[in-house]
Each structure stands twice: as C-alpha cells, then as structure tokens.
Amino acid sequence: MNGVILTPHFEDPDGFYAALIEHHRDLGEADCAALNARLVLILANHIGTAKVLLEALTVARKSLDDGICRTSSTSKDGAIQP
Amino acid sequence: MVLDDNNTVSVGSRAICFAQRTLEIFDRYGCSQPMLERGVQWQIGKVFFKDALVYEFNLRPEGGHRMPPFINLQQYYVEDYLVDRAVTLEGVDIRWNNQVIDVRAGTDEVMVTVKTPDGNYTLRCDYLLVADGANSSVRRMLGLDVSGEVFNDQFLITDIRMKTGLPTERRFHFDPPFHPNQSVLLHRQADDVWRIDFQLGQDADPAVALLPANIQLRISAMLGDDLDWEFEWASVYRFRCQKMDRFIHGRVFFLGDAAHQVAPFGARGANGAIQGAENLAWKLARVLDGRAPTTLLASYDDERQLAARENILNSTRTTDFMSPKTPISRLFRDSVLRLAREHSFARTLVNSGRLSVPCAYPDSILNTPDLDIFDGGIAPGSVCPDAPISIGGQRTWLQQQLGNRFVLLIAGETPAGLEMDSDLSLVCIGAKQGLGGAIIIDDVEGLVQQRYALAPGSAYLIRPDQYVCARWRRVDAGQVFGARRRALGLLLEDAA
C-alpha cells in the first residue's frame, strides 16, 4: 500500500484553488473553520485508507509545528498563522 | 499606414518580459536579433516566503528551441527595433504626431479625421485597426465599452540602474521581512536596469509612495544601504482585468490593451497583444488580396476572445493568490507557501504568475478535426514548436521554414497530385527528392519526429501564423486543399 501522495497530483491546481477560495466567500472566521472541518471529513472518507490519513495528519501537523517554531508571535494584523 | 499621436516610442517602463512565442513572431518579422542581443535572457524563477526560499523553477529544461523562454527588455527598445524594421519594408507609412480625433465607422469604409501640427486631414480606410491602449480614445469615440474586474490594490514600479552580483532570475517575494504583508517582484532588464514591483495595498497614498526618500527607504530595506544605484523610473499603478465583448465592430478591429487588459503578473499583456496582432495579420492580408472571404476575419474575434479569457483568468487567479482578500484566503495562501518548501504538490498551487504561453484554439472553425490517430504531437489549433534541423548539411531551425504562407510539413515523399502555389509550400523531412521547390530538411536530432509524433507519411498543414490547422497519418492532395479552404474561411462562405 502506498503512502500519502506529496508530489503533484492535482488535475487542475489553479482551478481547485480558485474554487476553494470561492466557496469560503462571504463566510466569517467560525464558518470558514466549520466549512474546512466538513471538507476534511468528506475528503478523509473519500480516501478511506487509514495509513494514508494518518500520514497526512502527521505531515500537516509537522508543517504547522515547524511554522510555530519559526514565528514566535502572531502577526500585527491579526492574521491567523499558517 | 500607422498613425501615432506622439513622436516617440513609449516612454518610461512598461512591458519588460517578452515570451518565446513573441520572440518567434519577431524573428519571422526579421527583427529578433537586436532584441536578443540587447535583452536579458532568463529561465530561472525563485519564490520566497518571508525570509526563506520556497522553491525555484526552470522554465525550460528542454533544449532544441531557437528562442529562449523569455527575454527581459524595456518596451521602448522593443518598439524601437520594430520601427527600425518597419521602415525598411516597402509600403509601410508611419506617421508620427498624427492624432485620431474623429472616427466615422461605415459599412463599406471608415472615415478618420487626423490632427497634425500642420493641420487636420481625413483618411478613408478599408479597415481601421485600433491599438491605442487601455484608455483607447477611438473606443470611446465609438461609444464602446470594456467590462471586467478593476482591482483596488496598488503597486509601485521602480526601475533602478545598478551594478550587482545578483543572478539573472525572476524573484518573487511573498510577505518578505523588508516589505511585510505585501509582495515584491524583481526582474533584471537591459543596461543594468532592474525592475522592482512593490505591492502597496489599497490604502497607500501614491504621492507619498513616489517621494524619492520613500523609494530610497524601500530599496535600501530590500537590497541594503551600501548599494550604488541610480533612479530610472517610478510610477504607481492599479490594474484591471477586462475586455471588450467583441473585438470587431464592422471594419474596426481592436487589438492589445484597447481590446483586453490583464494584470501584469504572468507577462500576458504585451505578449497577448503581439500574438493577437499576429492572428489578425495573415487573415487580413488574405482578405485584402482576394484569397479569402471577409468571413475569415470573424475568426480573429473567436480565437482571440478565447485567448483573452485565458489570459484574464490566469492573471486574475494570480492576483487573488498574491492579494488574499480575507483572513481565510490569507491562511490558505500562507499554508500553501509553508508546505511548498518541503512538498512539491503544494508548489503547483503557488501562483506568482502563470507565465505567458501561446493560446491554443482547439475548437476553431478554421481547424480540420483529426480523423487519424495521433498519440501526442501537435493538435489542430496549437502553435508549432521549434526544433533543430539541417538543410543541405547546414544547421538551421524548423520554425524558420514555417509561416508567411501555408506549409505542408510531411514525413517522406510528396503526395501525388499536390502542387505548390504562391500560398502553399512544402517542407519534406528525410525525403530523397521533393517536388520542385520543396524544402528538404533533415531531422538531425530526431526532435521534429518526437515533437510532432511523426511516422512515415504523417503530414501537418500549418497556417501562415505557424498554427497547425490539420494533420494526417497519410494525406492526398484533395485533403490538403480542402483543409486550406477551411482555414481560409472559404467553407464558411459556402455555408453562408
């Protein structure tokens, strides 16, 4: 069984990204988080494979932790830190 | 005849990135050489986020093209070389200081009133091609509109002259420490001039941004205090992504920024404009000398509306990535950049400009749809890629054998019954002997065969603008002439 794919795999990356942003249009911060929670659950079910999902979680968390180590404080404009 | 309302090529810094396709067009016009000599060739791009390099890309790892992927050259040089070339051509009449002040568009002719320092005069035109820029005064005179999106973000362009050890590459900074929360783009131009494009945001005061002391501060923050540089040019701009619904109004044709405008990221403005003019030129030439019906001209609008929509879509997406409008789009953008350092999938989402590539017209009515099976190769409606070849033992390039007239590119011998004429030439690959006048080429590196997916007998019919309009695995003379009739709009006339 192969692990999570981290090399380019999008059929239409720019089209996906535009749709992703478009579906968040007009939503407040809490609703955005809720939308993303639903999106993660839908995609996770679509993937299904436990090993892949765990790897994806690990990669995401590691990237976040690395970012937190690099930037010690939140930015002045209050933007959420990636 | 060309009318220009002032007496000079463009002033200040405008377009700087000229794409491979544009250079190929200029090459066919006979003026690419001074541009290549003066321009700065580049193919490496680097993307930075905050203080670190995220990744770098190479626009063309593949060899076997005469023209580089891009050169950077100030627009005034490009215009200058175009003018130098135009004045050597018979029948070209460039009139400086001739300003169009009135246009009457009729069904059979267009009457244009021209103002000059020596007084006004009137021209009667068969066709009027309008390329007077984003704020086109002719478009306004005719009461025509452009529609689309106007962006509020402001950008400060600074061109400075400096000697530096910086490599020749495109550098794009997202949210750099020296210009927080905004983006910065750095490009090298000819004569040691560097373009720095600072995103300023919506609320900046252009007059304040343009104060020399403030420009000095921004440049010092970016490049250091100890650097010697001279100021060349600065301006603050906003941009629009918009176009006219139709580029053709009777006998009036709109081109370039007068017809369609894009954000600068991706170099799709000037490059799109040149490619649009190229699309119209061969069609108009054939209508004027009676080889094609006027119905052919409508395909300029069909094909270039598609290109304009593609250019607008790409530059709008870049703008949205660069200037996130909400906290969540900022979060996604920054997450993509964080992930992209380590994971190549995220690099496909990083959008610092989708650089200009020629538009394909797969559904153009000028195409003869494929009947034969091609695995790869160049589909009808796509531009012909270059490849190294030799003719009689002399190394040269495939593209230099294409264009200006229809060309049948064929792997092998000439089909029986096919005769060349003033608007059809034959280029045979690896033939022992061609028809009288056929150009026999050797595919010395096998790249023509590879790029065009050729097998013995395969043939491509190529338009005067170097676009494929038909291809076959085996072809007869009737099919070639039928496909050319279609590409000249003659079948449209039959149907009408």
Side-chain angles (χ1 to χ4, degrees):
Chain A
M1 181 62 70
N2 294 324
V4 67
I5 299 169
L6 294 168
T7 50
H9 191 56
F10 287 110
E11 190 176 281
D12 174 13
D14 287 351
F16 161 71
Y17 194 83
L20 178 66
I21 300 305
E22 174 60 24
H23 282 75
H24 284 81
R25 197 164 53 95
D26 304 331
L27 295 183
E29 210 171 294
D31 286 338
C32 284
L35 175 69
N36 288 320
R38 284 159 174 77
L39 185 61
V40 166
L41 295 171
I42 291 165
L43 293 174
N45 176 62
H46 183 88
I47 293 160
T49 314
K51 176 175 182 289
V52 172
L53 292 170
L54 272 176
E55 275 185 33
L57 282 165
T58 309
V59 168
R61 181 63 196 246
K62 182 172 180 306
S63 170
L64 184 69
D65 290 347
D66 290 351
I68 289 167
C69 292
R70 294 178 63 88
T71 50
S72 50
S73 63
T74 54
S75 66
K76 289 194 189 88
D77 63 358
I80 315 160
Q81 284 296 312
Chain B
M1 182 186 299
V2 181
L3 305 177
D4 196 316
D5 66 355
N6 56 31
N7 67 347
T8 174
V9 295
S10 70
V11 178
S13 203
R14 300 174 73 181
I16 57 169
C17 299
F18 292 87
Q20 179 178 5
R21 182 62 201 147
T22 301
L23 296 171
E24 291 167 351
I25 292 168
F26 289 154
D27 191 50
R28 203 167 55 65
Y29 296 168
C31 53
S32 67
Q33 208 48 45
M35 298 179 191
L36 292 171
E37 281 164 17
R38 174 75 67 169
V40 174
Q41 296 188 17
W42 64 278
Q43 59 185 48
I44 301 291
K46 285 184 179 161
V47 175
F48 298 82
F49 179 44
K50 296 189 186 288
D51 56 355
L53 175 70
V54 178
Y55 69 100
E56 68 172 73
F57 56 87
N58 187 343
L59 286 175
R60 194 179 58 213
E62 162 187 289
H65 293 260
R66 176 167 147 79
M67 290 297 149
F70 273 95
I71 63 165
N72 286 356
L73 184 61
Q74 294 88 319
Q75 183 172 327
Y76 48 78
Y77 277 128
V78 173
E79 290 187 25
D80 215 22
Y81 299 142
L82 285 168
V83 171
D84 286 349
R85 176 66 180 134
V87 297
T88 67
L89 300 173
E90 208 178 320
V92 175
D93 176 3
I94 303 179
R95 300 187 177 187
W96 305 99
N97 281 327
N98 275 235
Q99 184 190 1
V100 174
I101 55 168
D102 188 51
V103 176
R104 300 283 156 90
T107 45
D108 299 322
E109 61 187 23
V110 185
M111 301 300 291
V112 176
T113 306
V114 183
K115 182 181 158 194
T116 78
D118 305 321
N120 297 357
Y121 68 98
T122 303
L123 279 173
R124 194 185 65 76
C125 314
D126 292 323
Y127 293 97
L128 182 67
L129 313 187
V130 181
D132 58 350
N135 299 313
S136 171
S137 57
V138 174
R139 197 180 63 218
R140 206 170 47 245
M141 287 172 209
L142 294 173
L144 299 167
D145 286 327
V146 285
S147 57
E149 204 174 342
V150 178
F151 292 84
N152 294 319
D153 223 337
Q154 301 178 97
F155 291 81
L156 168 69
I157 276 198
T158 51
D159 284 350
I160 61 173
R161 194 183 293 265
M162 61 177 178
K163 297 270 189 203
T164 159
L166 283 173
T168 302
E169 58 193 20
R170 177 187 198 260
R171 289 189 171 187
F172 197 99
H173 297 266
F174 289 100
D175 193 7
F178 56 84
H179 192 54
N181 292 318
Q182 308 285 1
S183 65
V184 177
L185 175 60
L186 175 73
H187 261 299
R188 182 181 193 160
Q189 306 173 62
D191 306 340
D192 294 315
V193 173
W194 294 71
R195 156 79 48 92
I196 311 172
D197 201 340
F198 293 98
Q199 184 184 15
L200 296 179
Q202 297 187 11
D203 304 324
D205 180 342
V208 173
L210 285 168
L211 290 173
N214 288 338
I215 291 174
Q216 172 100 43
L217 280 175
R218 288 189 203 284
I219 291 171
S220 297
M222 178 175 180
L223 299 170
D225 291 325
D226 49 353
L227 190 77
D228 273 339
W229 55 271
E230 287 169 51
F231 178 79
E232 276 278 311
W233 173 267
S235 55
V236 170
Y237 70 95
R238 292 172 199 261
F239 52 78
R240 297 169 281 191
C241 286
Q242 51 187 14
K243 65 173 186 64
M244 300 175 76
D245 291 336
R246 286 183 296 137
F247 300 151
I248 305 175
H249 292 265
R251 292 174 166 267
V252 181
F253 291 68
F254 289 85
L255 299 108
D257 276 2
H260 40 69
Q261 299 136 38
V262 292
F265 306 97
R268 290 167 178 268
N271 289 298
I274 298 294
Q275 290 164 34
E278 167 84 341
N279 185 284
L280 179 58
W282 71 270
K283 297 171 183 174
L284 200 52
R286 276 155 190 76
V287 169
L288 289 174
D289 68 13
R291 277 181 287 193
T294 54
T295 45
L296 174 63
L297 299 175
S299 68
Y300 163 68
D301 189 65
D302 296 337
E303 294 182 340
R304 295 313 294 178
Q305 286 283 349
L306 179 67
R309 282 194 295 271
E310 189 174 294
N311 288 331
I312 286 173
L313 179 69
N314 276 292
S315 69
T316 301
R317 284 174 173 175
T318 300
T319 305
D320 289 344
F321 192 86
M322 276 175 46
S323 312
K325 292 179 181 64
T326 60
I328 189 69
S329 54
R330 172 79 185 255
L331 176 63
F332 273 120
R333 200 281 304 269
D334 289 358
S335 299
V336 163
L337 289 166
R338 283 267 186 247
L339 285 164
R341 239 179 254 159
E342 207 172 334
H343 304 299
S344 60
F345 87 91
R347 290 171 204 162
T348 62
L349 298 171
V350 174
N351 193 338
S352 71
R354 296 290 179 237
L355 292 164
S356 173
V357 290
C359 180
Y361 321 124
D363 302 319
S364 172
I365 46 172
L366 306 186
N367 296 345
T368 297
D370 277 346
L371 288 175
D372 300 340
I373 308 291
F374 273 84
D375 184 14
I378 311 302
S382 298
V383 78
C384 288
D386 206 358
I389 58 164
S390 78
I391 297 179
Q394 292 283 99
R395 294 291 292 239
T396 179
W397 297 91
L398 177 64
Q399 268 193 349
Q400 293 184 317
Q401 320 311 317
L402 312 176
N404 298 329
R405 74 289 192 224
F406 284 88
V407 170
L408 186 73
L409 175 71
I410 185 159
E413 308 297 330
T414 310
L418 183 69
E419 286 183 24
M420 288 182 280
D421 56 38
S422 61
D423 203 22
L424 177 66
S425 298
L426 208 58
V427 174
C428 299
I429 301 160
K432 289 192 194 64
Q433 55 174 53
L435 205 67
I439 302 166
I440 310 290
I441 66 171
D442 286 318
D443 185 14
V444 277
E445 295 183 25
L447 286 173
V448 183
Q449 191 271 332
Q450 186 188 322
R451 288 178 182 162
Y452 290 78
L454 297 176
S458 300
Y460 282 78
L461 185 64
I462 295 158
R463 307 189 332 192
D465 61 351
Q466 299 178 333
Y467 270 74
V468 172
C469 59
R471 61 179 178 169
W472 305 270
R473 282 301 183 195
R474 196 154 292 281
V475 68
D476 63 40
Q479 288 172 307
V480 174
F481 287 115
R484 185 174 65 167
R485 283 174 60 78
R486 184 184 292 272
L488 285 172
L490 285 157
L491 299 183
L492 302 171
E493 195 178 47
D494 293 347

